[in-house]
Amino acid sequence: MNNPNFDLLMWARGPGFNIALIIMTAGIILRVVEIIILGRKKDIAPAKGSPVAQGMKTIFSRSLPRKGLVHYAPITYIGGYIFHIGFFIAFFFFAPHIAIFTDMLGISWPNASRVIIESAVALSVLALIALMYTRRTDPVRRALSSFDDYLVWVLSLLPMVTGYVAVNKLFGDPTFMIALHILCVEALMIAFPFTKLMHAVTFVMARYYNGSIQGRKGAKS
Amino acid sequence: MVDKPMLPELLKANGISRRGFLKYCASLTSLMALSPAMMPRIAHALENAPRPSVIWLSFQECTGCTEAITRSHAPTLEDLIFNAVSLDYHHTLQAASGHAAEAAREAAMKEHWGKYVLVVDGSIPVDNPGYSCIAGISNLDMLKETAEGAAAIVAVGTCAAYGGIPHADPNPTGAVSVGDIIKDKPIINVPGCPPIPVVMTGVLAHFLTFGIPELDELGRPKAFFGETIHDRCYRRPFYDKGLFAEGFDDEGAREGWCLYKLGCKGPTTRSVCATTKWNGGTSFPIQAGHPCLGCTEPDFWDNGGFYKPLSVPAGDYRKLGLAAVAAGAVAGVAGGALARSGKARAAAAHEKVDAHDLEKKS
């Protein structure tokens, strides 16, 4: 006699993870290498400022809030920050997640308590719902939204909801819910290189590029 | 049912007071997650229950299940209840051996046909039934023959319930569970490696008082397998606080922190280990400092390694990841080169156009 929930969990932890890892890793490397190889035309004009320093600075400075944006788009502004910080905390500071990095890379770091993790998840989910509300009610954002945007929203939401349900055993079989959570993460991993989720990697390159252009011109970025 | 002393006589003979008996009934009621109002009914049913004949068959097993039950033989009431059934065949415990033992089984079957309870521990090899025989009879034949006249079957231990360790990959004997073979009898699975003795007696008590208990989708009594070990674990507050033992001899281990990172399967394992415990409520594996192996679940031996946390991928993914990096890099270089050559071709094919040319075209 088998336990179908365990079979699903073992598939998610075994072949499912392998498939997702291969697609995500190969996809990210492919896209990054492609962008680098494609390159940009060499600017032969003498630099007026420091492109490298400005580029490096911009990678971090663009994470800081932009003046005036909170009045222009408060939900996008605040919701965006809450979601990203919450997702980051839940992903990198929940002990079972750190255990994956320890197994994979041999590195470890301190984890947060369940209260912090679950508060971060709850706030992130609320932020995602608020962001979707503005996306649907603002005619401009609605017109700009594509299938990709909605897919990414769902794929970001599901791991947090299923993870919360699995840890708190809100409903369903606990083994099934853990399996479902892992499968949702694997769906996110598979979609990662081919959707806007890729910004989690390319933001570094894009910010550096923009910063260095401005730095070369001697302008602030 | 057999003509042997009823429970009240046995109680008296063993020096157990009525008060002690009622206390036992109350604990059983609580253990089975029944309403306190059910306690008198349990007491009444146990007092008046005729002692059913029990035939205990041991197949591909390690005798751990029998050992566990015999280890509970302090003079407890559970022990008494166990003795209060008529154990007519158990080849580890009975004095008879060889043909005499088999004759006892056949006699009990004949006398109580359709009424006896069949308890099985151990899995059944089906690749070649000859892998495991008793008195020249294969486990498969003995199970089929004995199950035919049974009122119900209790599959004790994970081997009987789900195939257990003999069923583990690569399963050289083709081991299967009782439920894989017998389809026309009620089967109560009491998994565990070994099961908790009081769970075993609790299931028998439930069977005597209310019949077949409510079972989950894996055939386990919900009263004993309704919640996960993680839910009732005394180390759970450490999980919530984010305090984990990272090794078997670190500060976390000494402080008694959560064993999740050491591979504890408590979050996915249903059993009352954390509350009922073992050896008269003394301890259970997690209390002794070892992560739960998940032994009440099917295929627990093959569920990704005992010392790997549940969240960690179970396969050998590192080589695949490195191969993916290489494949991605090669595809990226190829894609980039293709794009660059397209760009170069476009640049080569570029024709200069001035305002006059455009005017001519328009």
Side-chain angles (χ1 to χ4, degrees):
Chain A
M1 185 183 274
N2 289 341
N3 181 346
N5 296 325
F6 252 112
D7 293 345
L8 189 66
L9 177 63
M10 287 314 298
W11 191 88
R13 289 177 66 198
F17 180 80
N18 292 345
I19 292 166
L21 182 75
I22 289 170
I23 294 174
M24 186 182 82
T25 311
I28 290 173
I29 300 286
L30 185 153
R31 288 198 64 182
V32 169
V33 169
E34 218 174 28
I35 291 167
I36 292 168
I37 286 184
L38 202 55
R40 281 284 183 268
K41 208 173 183 180
K42 197 177 179 187
D43 188 349
I44 52 174
K48 290 178 184 170
S50 170
V52 175
Q54 189 72 10
M56 294 301 286
K57 188 190 142 196
T58 309
I59 292 174
F60 300 99
S61 66
R62 293 252 170 123
S63 295
L64 299 172
R66 200 173 125 199
K67 253 186 188 173
L69 198 66
V70 70
H71 301 295
Y72 176 67
I75 295 179
T76 309
Y77 178 91
I78 298 167
Y81 270 105
I82 291 176
F83 165 71
H84 279 92
I85 293 168
F87 193 92
F88 184 87
I89 290 172
F91 184 62
F92 285 108
F93 292 98
F94 187 44
H97 297 169
I98 298 172
I100 302 170
F101 291 100
T102 308
D103 187 74
M104 198 178 278
L105 308 168
I107 53 170
S108 183
W109 54 87
N111 57 271
S113 71
R114 217 178 112 193
V115 175
I116 293 173
I117 299 295
E118 290 186 1
S119 304
V121 168
L123 288 170
S124 286
V125 169
L126 289 174
L128 270 182
I129 292 167
L131 289 166
M132 179 51 78
Y133 175 77
T134 55
R135 186 181 285 280
R136 294 299 298 165
T137 51
D138 182 340
V140 176
R141 285 198 190 96
R142 192 172 172 169
L144 287 171
S145 300
S146 62
F147 172 75
D148 189 295
D149 296 300
Y150 295 110
L151 177 70
V152 164
W153 185 85
V154 170
L155 291 176
S156 305
L157 182 73
L158 284 178
M160 292 197 287
V161 172
T162 52
Y164 191 92
V165 171
V167 169
N168 288 285
K169 302 205 167 68
L170 295 184
F171 54 81
D173 179 84
T175 308
F176 175 76
M177 290 315 298
I178 293 175
L180 191 63
H181 172 62
I182 296 174
L183 288 171
C184 288
V185 174
E186 286 164 2
L188 185 80
M189 287 167 71
I190 290 169
F192 189 93
F194 312 111
T195 58
K196 289 178 181 175
L197 290 167
M198 188 65 189
H199 78 273
V201 172
T202 52
F203 84 96
V204 179
M205 301 158 80
R207 285 182 186 180
Y208 177 82
Y209 179 65
N210 285 329
S212 66
I213 286 176
Q214 301 303 322
R216 174 171 282 278
K217 290 174 181 169
K220 273 188 175 178
S221 60
Chain B
M1 299 296 165
V2 288
D3 182 24
K4 287 181 181 172
M6 303 273 279
L7 187 61
E9 290 97 272
L10 276 165
L11 286 168
K12 229 178 263 175
N14 284 275
I16 305 296
S17 67
R18 172 124 189 106
R19 183 184 173 82
F21 172 68
L22 290 176
K23 269 174 78 178
Y24 173 68
C25 292
S27 67
L28 254 188
T29 312
S30 160
L31 194 69
M32 291 189 285
L34 296 170
S35 157
M38 287 291 187
M39 199 276 275
R41 195 172 156 193
I42 288 183
H44 178 78
L46 286 178
E47 281 179 318
N48 294 289
R51 298 169 55 230
S53 168
V54 171
I55 295 175
W56 183 305
L57 300 178
S58 299
F59 296 144
Q60 284 194 137
E61 44 80 47
C62 65
T63 316
C65 299
T66 296
E67 289 281 355
I69 286 167
T70 56
R71 286 297 180 278
S72 78
H73 278 202
T76 61
L77 268 167
E78 296 103 285
D79 175 28
L80 191 66
I81 293 294
F82 189 65
N83 282 326
V85 297
S86 174
L87 188 57
D88 291 333
Y89 179 89
H90 187 308
H91 69 208
T92 307
L93 301 178
Q94 71 196 107
S97 62
H99 292 298
E102 293 316 302
R105 179 175 65 87
E106 283 159 17
M109 283 170 59
K110 197 174 168 189
E111 193 179 343
H112 311 295
W113 188 258
K115 293 174 186 170
Y116 58 82
V117 177
L118 173 60
V119 180
V120 179
D121 71 330
S123 63
I124 302 98
V126 292
D127 268 6
N128 180 341
Y131 285 145
S132 180
C133 297
I134 299 161
I137 307 166
S138 73
N139 292 169
L140 185 64
D141 288 342
M142 188 178 276
L143 174 65
K144 283 181 177 171
E145 183 191 330
T146 318
E148 206 181 336
I153 303 173
V154 183
V156 173
T158 306
C159 296
Y162 308 129
I165 295 171
H167 180 75
D169 188 49
N171 190 2
T173 62
V176 298
S177 68
V178 173
D180 289 328
I181 294 168
I182 306 299
K183 304 287 183 191
D184 57 348
K185 296 282 176 185
I187 298 173
I188 307 167
N189 287 331
V190 187
C193 195
I196 302 172
V198 78
V199 171
M200 174 64 204
T201 52
V203 169
L204 282 177
H206 195 291
F207 182 72
L208 290 172
T209 49
F210 302 110
I212 305 286
E214 193 185 353
L215 306 176
D216 69 7
E217 63 278 9
L218 295 173
R220 303 175 293 196
K222 283 186 175 174
F224 303 110
F225 298 92
E227 288 181 320
T228 64
I229 291 172
H230 185 60
D231 284 338
R232 295 289 172 190
C233 183
Y234 79 103
R235 295 194 191 216
R236 175 64 184 262
F238 295 112
Y239 172 88
D240 292 341
K241 284 182 185 169
L243 297 172
F244 297 91
E246 306 273 348
F248 285 100
D249 55 355
D250 69 354
E251 191 206 343
R254 283 192 291 276
E255 294 289 334
W257 292 351
C258 178
L259 302 172
Y260 184 95
K261 284 188 172 179
L262 293 175
C264 186
K265 303 296 180 291
T268 53
T269 306
R270 291 176 185 269
S271 181
V272 288
C273 298
T275 44
T276 303
K277 301 188 183 177
W278 300 78
N279 300 323
T282 305
S283 185
F284 73 113
I286 292 172
Q287 195 170 341
H290 195 280
C292 166
L293 303 180
C295 73
T296 59
E297 299 293 334
D299 295 328
F300 77 99
W301 205 264
D302 295 321
N303 280 339
F306 291 154
Y307 301 104
K308 266 198 173 186
L310 267 170
S311 58
V312 169
D316 185 15
Y317 58 86
R318 285 183 195 81
K319 282 179 189 164
L320 292 171
L322 289 172
V325 169
V330 168
V333 168
L338 204 67
R340 280 183 85 105
S341 76
K343 197 174 152 189
R345 270 201 310 276
H350 179 70
E351 291 176 18
K352 285 186 178 171
V353 180
D354 60 21
H356 298 293
D357 297 330
L358 289 172
E359 271 178 16
K360 276 181 204 167
K361 280 183 186 171
S362 63

